[in-house]
Amino acid sequence: KKIVGPAYKDIAKRYAGQKDAEAKLAEKIIKGGKGVWAKELGAEIPMPPNTSVKPDEATKLAKWILSLK
């Protein structure tokens, strides 16, 4: 049973093909979230907000994550 969030490759797989995936993911990086992966992880593991990450940095991170195969 995982006790941390999903792997970056799993995130890339989930968002693959969604036209607004980059923006959604960048927003999640900054604002955090919870409950999105509860079914896959078997628990509700929150992702804390990363308020020190600037929007352009979050976009770069989202692009990189989405590029993983």
Side-chain angles (χ1 to χ4, degrees), residues 1-67:
K1 180 176 171 181
K2 289 188 178 192
I3 58 170
V4 296
Y8 290 140
K9 287 182 180 184
D10 292 336
I11 296 169
K13 206 179 293 184
R14 172 177 270 189
Y15 285 89
Q18 295 181 26
K19 65 180 178 179
D20 59 346
E22 190 177 296
K24 273 187 188 177
L25 194 51
E27 183 176 356
K28 289 265 186 198
I29 290 169
I30 294 170
K31 293 183 177 179
K34 73 175 192 175
V36 177
W37 291 86
K39 181 179 176 185
E40 292 88 342
L41 299 176
E44 197 171 294
I45 302 168
M47 183 176 107
N50 294 284
T51 55
S52 64
V53 175
K54 295 177 174 78
D56 63 316
E57 295 171 327
T59 299
K60 286 179 186 177
L61 288 166
K63 282 182 184 181
W64 175 74
I65 292 169
L66 293 170
S67 75

